[in-house]
Amino acid sequence: LAYTASAAICFEIARRSARKLGDVEAATPQVAAVNAGLASASLPTSLLLMTLLRLNPLLPFTWANYLFGLTRVRRAAFLGGTWLGTLPVIVAKTSAGALGASIVGGHIRVTPAAAAAVAALTA
């Protein structure tokens, strides 16, 4: 929930700031096309799009929050897609943390090479 809550805060800051800045769509025709697509898409389509964008590791999380706040994407689609799209990351980090705690606590014995491989994968 913390990922989604932080995303919601950034989204709202951008939404409220965009109103003060003026027409964001006037920037480029591409921005206008993306904005129109997000605004006219159905809720399930917007939710799927947001989920897929959140699964993309090349799109920085915080920057995307502000970027989506500048668009006309529905708030429900943004929050739902953010929650669904960040679940795999949360599960991976939680699992890595639990494994690390078990190794440090002595509940699981691993070779130094295996411990180095786990550390490299989670870095």
Side-chain angles (χ1 to χ4, degrees):
L1 290 176
Y3 269 108
T4 306
S6 67
I9 291 168
C10 295
F11 181 83
E12 287 302 321
I13 289 171
R15 263 284 146 99
R16 293 171 197 274
S17 298
R19 290 186 188 137
K20 293 176 184 172
L21 293 174
D23 188 15
V24 177
E25 286 187 20
T28 64
Q30 294 85 356
V31 171
V34 169
N35 229 352
L38 287 170
S40 65
S42 66
L43 184 61
T45 302
S46 294
L47 182 65
L48 175 63
L49 178 62
M50 290 306 304
T51 302
L52 292 174
L53 286 169
R54 288 303 190 184
L55 290 171
N56 181 354
L58 300 177
L59 187 61
F61 185 78
T62 304
W63 287 87
N65 297 331
Y66 290 110
L67 176 68
F68 294 131
L70 296 176
T71 67
R72 290 187 291 166
V73 67
R74 295 178 187 177
R75 188 174 284 106
F78 172 77
L79 294 174
T82 296
W83 184 75
L84 287 171
T86 56
L87 281 179
V89 172
I90 293 168
V91 168
K93 288 181 178 181
T94 304
S95 298
L99 178 61
S102 296
I103 291 170
V104 170
H107 303 291
I108 297 176
R109 295 187 186 265
V110 295
T111 63
V118 169
L121 288 174
T122 59

